[in-house]
Amino acid sequence: MITKLFYILICLFPFAAFAQNTNDSTTVARQVRYDDSVVVPKYFEEQALEEYRQDDAFDYVAFVPPDNPWTRFKTWLNDLWASFIQWLLQGEEVGGILGFLIEALPYLIIILVVALLVWLFMRIDLGGSPLKTNALNKVILSDEQKIIETQNIQELIDAALKENNYRLAVRFYYLLLLQKLAQKDIIDWQVQKTNADYIYEIKNDTLRADFTKLTRIYDFIWYGNFNVSSHQFLKAEKEFKKTTADL
C-alpha cells in the first residue's frame, strides 16, 4: 500500500512543476511597456506642394466638355454606333484583331468618305464654272463626251485663242489629245475615267511619257485657276502639237 502511494506521488510531481512554470510565464506576458520616445511631427513644404499643383502630371481633375449642340450630336452619334455594334455582336465582348477593327471602323469610314470627296472634287471641272460670263467657259465635265466624240476641237481652240482665253485653249488641246488617242484605239475613253487611267492604258513607253508630261501641264494650267500669259501658252502649245502630230 505504501509502495503504490509512493509511485502515485512520483507521477504527479512533473505535472505540478509544469503548472508552476505556466503560471510564471503568464505573469511575465502581462507586463506593460510604455513608448517614451520623442514624437517629431512631419510637415510638407508649401513650395513643394505648389510645384506639384502646377505640374499637369498630377492634375487628376476630369475635364467635362461644355454642353452644346456639337457635344450632344457627338454623344448621340457615339450612342448610335455603340448600339449598332452591340446589335451586330449580340452583346458579346470581342477582343483581338476583330475588336481592334471594330474600334477603327468609324475612322476608316471617315477616311473613305474624305477620299471619295477628294476624288469627286478632282473630277470636277473647276475652270468650267457656270458663274463665268464667257460662253466658252461653260464647257464643263459633262460636255467632254460630246466634244471628244462629235465636235471639231481645233475650231474650239481657234475660238478660244480669238478671245485670248489661253487656259481654255489648253483644255481643248488636251481634249484633242484624248480624242486622237481614242480614235487610234490607244486608250478606251470613258467619261468616268481619270487621266491616270489613260496613262496606264498607253503601252508605248515614249507616248506614255509624253502623255504624262502633257497631263501635268494641263493639270497645272487648267486646275491651277490662274491667268496664263501668251508666252506660257506658246510653250504648252508647242508640246501639245508635237505629240498630236505623231498620232
Side-chain angles (χ1 to χ4, degrees), residues 190-210:
Q190 298 292 336
V191 69
Q192 72 274 12
K193 286 186 177 181
T194 64
N195 297 334
D197 295 329
Y198 300 130
I199 293 176
Y200 289 109
E201 291 182 10
I202 299 175
K203 304 305 180 183
N204 184 279
D205 294 337
T206 302
L207 182 58
R208 185 192 303 117
D210 293 339

Side-chain angles (χ1 to χ4, degrees), residues 21-196:
N21 292 335
T22 303
N23 293 334
D24 295 340
S25 61
T26 302
T27 303
V28 173
R30 291 179 178 176
Q31 293 180 357
V32 179
R33 298 182 63 184
Y34 296 96
D35 184 7
D36 55 358
S37 60
V38 179
V39 177
V40 180
K42 299 291 185 180
Y43 298 97
F44 287 103
E45 296 182 4
E46 189 62 28
Q47 182 178 358
L49 289 175
E50 187 62 27
E51 292 178 357
Y52 284 119
R53 293 190 187 103
Q54 300 299 327
D55 193 344
D56 294 337
F58 295 93
D59 185 6
Y60 302 106
V61 178
F63 173 74
V64 179
D67 187 21
N68 52 53
W70 172 244
T71 57
R72 288 194 294 269
F73 172 74
K74 290 195 298 183
T75 301
W76 172 81
L77 196 62
N78 290 333
D79 293 341
L80 184 64
W81 178 256
S83 301
F84 170 73
I85 294 300
Q86 187 176 10
W87 169 81
L88 185 65
L89 301 176
Q90 299 298 323
E92 297 181 0
E93 293 291 336
V94 178
I97 298 178
L98 182 58
F100 171 77
L101 292 177
I102 291 176
E103 292 181 358
L105 187 58
Y107 304 100
L108 295 177
I109 293 175
I110 293 175
I111 293 174
L112 290 176
V113 171
V114 172
L116 178 61
L117 293 176
V118 171
W119 181 81
L120 291 175
F121 177 79
M122 295 299 295
R123 294 289 298 173
I124 294 175
D125 186 354
L126 299 179
S129 173
L131 297 179
K132 300 289 186 178
T133 57
N134 194 330
L136 289 173
N137 283 337
K138 294 183 179 179
V139 179
I140 58 176
L141 187 64
S142 60
D143 296 329
E144 286 187 356
Q145 184 173 5
K146 178 181 178 181
I147 295 173
I148 291 177
E149 294 180 354
T150 63
Q151 295 193 20
N152 186 336
I153 301 180
Q154 187 60 51
E155 293 180 355
L156 297 176
I157 296 173
D158 296 337
L161 292 178
K162 286 181 180 180
E163 298 187 9
N164 296 326
N165 195 332
Y166 300 119
R167 289 184 60 254
L168 192 58
V170 169
R171 172 173 171 76
F172 287 143
Y173 263 119
Y174 192 76
L175 294 181
L176 178 62
L177 176 61
L178 293 177
Q179 184 186 63
K180 289 182 175 294
L181 291 173
Q183 291 173 350
K184 296 289 186 178
D185 293 327
I186 298 175
I187 64 172
D188 179 22
W189 187 88
Q190 298 292 336
V191 69
Q192 72 274 12
K193 286 186 177 181
T194 64
N195 297 334

